[in-house]
Amino acid sequence: MTTTSRPLPEAPNRIELAIGGMTCAACAARIEKKLNRMDGVSATVNYATEKATVRYADGVTPDDLIGTVQKTGYTAALPSPPATAEEPVDALRGPRTRLWVSVALSVPVVVLAMVPAWQFDYWQWLSLTLAAPVVVWGGLPFHRAAWTNLRHGAATMDTLVSLGTLAAFGWSLWALFLGDAGMPRMTHPFRFDITRTEGAGNIYLEAAAGVTVFILAGRYFEARSKRTAGAALRALLELGAKEVAVLRDGVETLIPVDQLAVGDRFVVRPGEKIATDGVVDEGTSAVDASMLTGESVPVEVGPGDGVVGATINAGGRLVVTATRVGGDTQLARMADLVEQAQSGKAAVQRLADRISGVFVPIVITLAVGTLGWWLGTGAGPTAAFTAAVAVLIIACPCALGLATPTALLVGTGRGAQLGVLIKGPEVLESTRRVDTVVLDKTGTVTTGRMTLVDVVPAAGADRAELLRLAGAVEAASEHPIARAVAAGAAEAGALPPVAGFANVEGLGVTATVDGRSVLVGRLRLLRERGLDVPPEVQQAVADAEAGGRTAIVAGWDGRARGMLAVADVVRPTSRAAVARLRALGLTPVLLTGDNVTVARAVAAEVGVNEVIAEVLPAGKVDVVRRLQSEGRSVAMVGDGVNDAPALAQADLGLAMGTGTDVAIEASDLTLVRGDLDAAVDAIRLSRRTLGIIRGNLFWAFGYNVAALPLAAAGLLNPMIAGATMALSSVFVVANSLRLRRFRPAAPADGV
């Protein structure tokens, strides 16, 4: 079926706020909940982009919205315009320094605790000296976030990390200064029996420092992926021309494009970018607008025709009058579409935070209950506090800190080997929910470049001669269609020289080859020059156009000698890839700015039943939204600037690595191979990685749950706790390494 998109209604007042202080998806959910409680306010907070998109009634002001966010414990401000926003020199310098300093200090602490033979006199005091900066300074972001959450009655992963590390560190201080752990020649013996202990001689510095480092590593990798959130906008704005030759009093003057005003006349030479939206005053040319429209064939323009900024003049010299500049241009509006789509994504609740929201209150309640029970039985304060602190320590998520980053690291590494780049853990959940995959046509299903696909000689004409003469004439032209014909002809043999080459505006070209005056172009050109066009050539032209191809005719000596067809051909792997997408339970939809005839022909060739054609960039976003409003979870595969807003809006965006930087930055997954077949492997690998993460999280929390009763009973031997914690971490790493065995499925293998 073929449909057209329709825009969805929007609220009259819309604002975007830059949110600061968020540490997890639960923070974004809390801010969103507070904003949505305001009368006349509908808000979506995106943790990845650190922005809130808010629609509000006339009675609400931006100051009211900012005040609500600040009362929730976070910061809010109006963001700088994309064109003037400057990226920090190195936004990751602070987290990176914190991580590596913590690693350097923690390694000796962990090694000394695990190897009794190396535990020299007063080794415990060296461990304290090294561990203290890690727990206090390295873990400061977690402690600060935990305090913020505490003030607002919430508990997240940060709360669990802060409680566990501070409990382990605090008890170690007590044991060193007030207990027996500070004595000379104190060692951690290897005892694997379950015995009740008062804990006065036990220290947990390696647990406090190790957990801090693990969580810091996970947050650093997360911050590195988040850093690219605004890169799509920067890349999009970089597409525009930087300078423009303006005509003033008949003289060309080169000025920065931001000084261009509506009504200015400017010159665009062949190969240059058009500086801004406008109308052609003088000249004719072919304009490559595929980045905006998806139309694979360059558009012929002449006086009175509109042109769009950042498109490329592929033919002759043009003089254009500017009609829109700055933020009013189609390029600027597309940048706004990308930003809206990114900010409007539903916040993905991290599995760890979701579980922590329930797990943390349970652990705290259990620790308080343990303390009260032991005090009530008369066991003494030392034994009571030992058991209570043991509950907090054993609940500290050591393996949990490794669960996501290790699986993500191995999964993304394997993906890179297969030509798939995964941008972050939040991407993985989307792959499981997706049920519809929207495929851009140009450059995704097809190669994105014009190719000679058919040569039909007239009755009595020689095919080889038709191709040789037409190719020779077209080789002198810079038009994309001409280059396709010339390239196809050159493959058949050397092309003869031409003389007297001339371009006939909007119709074709003429030249003298081997003493013959050869015309190559539209059917209208040959008829206007009085050449006879046989019925078989007319039929060949009609058949080619009906099949979505571009047909040109070549003739000499008073007669048309044949038809040559060019087209943006389907990639060899596209049909098999579509079949494999169906096998994954996905419904494919072909979405393109190209005309309906071409779209239907391509869809039939690759096996897609649903076609949505003649759609502009804003319309592509609307199509994705409409599919989402129907209850579908949508993946979008594209490669061009025109796909960027839709890639950002989709639940899962997959960009072809052969496409533009804008599309790649706006997507969630990048297919480096530039092959639609890689999209299948990307979804399979993402789903497998998500499954590994779920398994890791189950084991990490399962270990905590199983050990908590022993801790509460006062039976938690420190060495058993340390060994099982280490084993849980080893299991998580080993489970994640299974992803290295992931293999791409051949078409015959199904999924």
Side-chain angles (χ1 to χ4, degrees):
M1 75 177 184
T2 304
T3 63
T4 57
S5 63
R6 57 182 178 81
L8 300 177
E10 290 190 355
N13 297 319
R14 176 183 174 276
I15 193 174
E16 289 195 347
L17 301 176
I19 306 296
M22 293 191 295
T23 60
C24 62
C27 298
R30 191 172 309 116
I31 299 169
E32 186 174 300
K33 185 177 180 181
K34 290 285 187 181
L35 287 172
N36 285 325
R37 283 180 177 175
M38 298 176 66
D39 291 336
V41 173
S42 173
T44 300
V45 180
N46 191 315
Y47 170 58
T49 60
E50 297 183 334
K51 288 185 179 180
T53 301
V54 188
R55 302 190 185 280
Y56 58 97
D58 292 333
V60 182
T61 67
D63 288 340
D64 296 333
L65 301 172
I66 292 174
T68 298
V69 175
Q70 291 174 342
K71 290 177 183 177
T72 311
Y74 305 90
T75 63
L78 296 175
S80 302
T84 60
E86 295 183 1
E87 185 180 8
V89 176
D90 188 356
L92 296 178
R93 180 179 297 172
R96 184 167 56 242
T97 301
R98 192 182 298 271
L99 171 62
W100 288 117
V101 170
S102 298
V103 168
L105 295 174
S106 297
V107 169
V109 177
V110 175
V111 170
L112 285 174
M114 293 180 63
V115 185
W118 293 356
Q119 293 171 0
F120 52 86
D121 288 352
Y122 299 111
W123 68 273
Q124 66 271 42
W125 295 101
L126 175 62
S127 293
L128 174 64
T129 304
L130 296 174
V134 177
V135 176
V136 177
W137 174 75
L140 185 60
F142 312 130
H143 307 322
R144 187 184 293 124
W147 174 247
T148 299
N149 292 326
L150 178 62
R151 287 191 294 123
H152 295 90
T156 65
M157 176 83 168
D158 292 308
T159 309
L160 200 56
V161 173
S162 181
L163 271 177
T165 55
L166 289 179
F169 186 71
W171 185 262
S172 299
L173 289 177
W174 184 92
L176 285 169
F177 287 98
L178 301 177
D180 302 329
M183 302 296 291
R185 292 183 295 279
M186 188 279 287
T187 60
H188 270 169
F190 271 76
R191 292 175 54 195
F192 290 102
D193 57 327
I194 298 178
T195 57
R196 184 166 298 172
T197 174
E198 288 193 345
N202 298 330
I203 59 174
Y204 300 92
L205 294 172
E206 76 284 356
V211 169
T212 300
V213 167
F214 286 141
I215 307 300
L216 279 175
R219 293 292 170 84
Y220 171 73
F221 291 124
E222 179 183 55
R224 193 170 64 176
S225 67
K226 282 175 60 180
R227 188 184 181 191
T228 63
L233 300 178
R234 291 192 296 273
L236 190 54
L237 294 169
E238 283 295 315
L239 286 175
K242 302 300 181 292
E243 294 182 321
V244 56
V246 179
L247 280 176
R248 289 178 178 165
D249 299 325
V251 178
E252 292 186 22
T253 305
L254 201 63
I255 65 171
V257 73
D258 57 6
Q259 296 180 13
L260 197 63
V262 173
D264 282 346
R265 300 175 75 240
F266 60 93
V267 177
V268 188
R269 293 179 176 80
E272 291 183 345
K273 292 179 181 178
I274 297 173
T276 193
D277 298 359
V279 175
V280 177
D281 280 349
E282 301 174 15
T284 60
S285 181
V287 174
D288 181 1
S290 59
M291 57 170 266
L292 291 174
T293 65
E295 180 73 41
S296 54
V297 180
V299 179
E300 302 285 347
V301 297
D305 292 331
V307 291
V308 177
T311 55
I312 299 173
N313 177 17
R317 178 181 182 271
L318 296 175
V319 177
V320 180
T321 297
T323 57
R324 288 184 296 203
V325 297
D328 295 329
T329 64
Q330 189 163 342
L331 181 66
R333 291 204 302 269
M334 190 180 296
D336 186 56
L337 282 171
V338 173
E339 188 169 21
Q340 287 181 39
Q342 285 186 331
S343 300
K345 278 188 176 179
V348 179
Q349 292 286 347
R350 293 294 177 85
L351 291 175
D353 284 315
R354 283 206 296 254
I355 300 173
S356 295
V358 178
F359 188 62
V360 174
I362 292 175
V363 169
I364 295 173
T365 302
L366 183 59
V368 173
T370 299
L371 176 65
W373 189 84
W374 279 98
L375 288 175
T377 59
T382 303
F385 277 98
T386 299
V389 171
V391 169
L392 292 177
I393 292 172
I394 201 64
C396 196
C398 183
L400 186 62
L402 290 171
T404 297
T406 54
L408 189 64
L409 192 63
V410 178
T412 53
R414 181 57 182 148
Q417 293 176 337
L418 299 176
V420 176
L421 301 183
I422 303 172
K423 288 199 174 177
E426 67 277 359
V427 172
L428 305 176
E429 287 194 56
S430 301
T431 63
R432 186 173 294 276
R433 297 193 307 266
V434 164
D435 53 33
T436 301
V437 57
V438 176
L439 306 174
D440 170 57
K441 180 187 74 68
T442 307
T444 302
V445 176
T446 65
T447 61
R449 61 181 182 274
M450 305 302 290
T451 304
L452 180 65
V453 295
D454 198 9
V455 180
V456 180
D462 181 66
R463 184 184 185 279
E465 185 180 34
L466 168 66
L467 185 58
R468 188 174 71 91
L469 297 184
V473 176
E474 293 286 52
S477 173
E478 292 299 318
H479 196 287
I481 293 177
R483 289 199 295 267
V485 173
E491 292 178 0
L495 302 178
V498 300
F501 176 83
N503 178 50
V504 183
E505 295 179 356
L507 294 177
V509 293
T510 65
T512 301
V513 187
D514 293 345
R516 295 171 173 168
S517 179
V518 180
L519 287 80
V520 184
R522 297 183 180 180
L523 207 54
R524 174 183 161 192
L525 173 64
L526 275 71
R527 286 173 173 162
E528 287 183 355
R529 297 298 176 93
L531 273 70
D532 177 53
V533 182
E536 64 270 18
V537 174
Q538 297 182 42
Q539 185 61 46
V541 170
D543 292 343
E545 292 177 345
R549 300 172 176 178
T550 299
I552 59 173
V553 182
W556 57 86
D557 296 340
R559 185 169 182 266
R561 302 292 173 169
M563 183 276 305
L564 301 96
V566 298
D568 181 13
V569 297
V570 171
R571 292 179 185 270
T573 58
S574 290
R575 184 174 183 84
V578 169
R580 292 175 60 200
L581 288 170
R582 289 186 184 278
L584 286 172
L586 305 176
T587 302
V589 177
L590 188 68
L591 177 63
T592 179
D594 220 334
N595 65 70
V596 173
T597 302
V598 173
R600 285 177 173 168
V602 171
E605 188 171 348
V606 299
V608 175
N609 299 326
E610 189 172 351
V611 179
I612 304 175
E614 299 179 3
V615 181
L616 292 176
K620 289 190 175 185
V621 176
D622 291 333
V623 168
V624 173
R625 287 176 180 160
R626 177 171 57 80
L627 292 172
Q628 290 169 331
S629 69
E630 293 173 358
R632 300 200 209 183
S633 184
V634 180
M636 170 77 186
V637 187
D639 76 318
V641 174
N642 61 309
D643 302 315
L647 286 169
Q649 173 65 38
D651 299 286
L652 180 68
L654 299 93
M656 308 295 275
T658 52
T660 64
D661 290 342
V662 178
I664 292 171
E665 295 293 353
S667 67
D668 302 307
L669 294 165
T670 301
L671 312 178
V672 179
R673 298 205 305 260
D675 187 342
L676 185 58
D677 214 37
V680 184
D681 292 330
I683 293 174
R684 291 178 56 246
L685 176 60
S686 297
R687 289 180 175 179
R688 183 77 58 83
T689 305
L690 178 61
I692 293 291
I693 289 176
R694 288 177 181 273
N696 287 347
L697 292 173
F698 173 81
W699 174 262
F701 277 107
Y703 155 75
N704 291 122
V705 171
L708 279 173
L710 291 177
L715 299 175
L716 185 64
N717 182 291
M719 296 316 299
I720 293 181
T724 53
M725 185 176 289
L727 286 174
S728 68
S729 299
V730 169
F731 173 84
V732 164
V733 173
N735 193 40
S736 299
L737 289 174
R738 291 169 51 215
L739 287 167
R740 297 175 61 182
R741 300 198 298 269
F742 177 86
R743 295 286 181 270
D749 296 336
V751 299

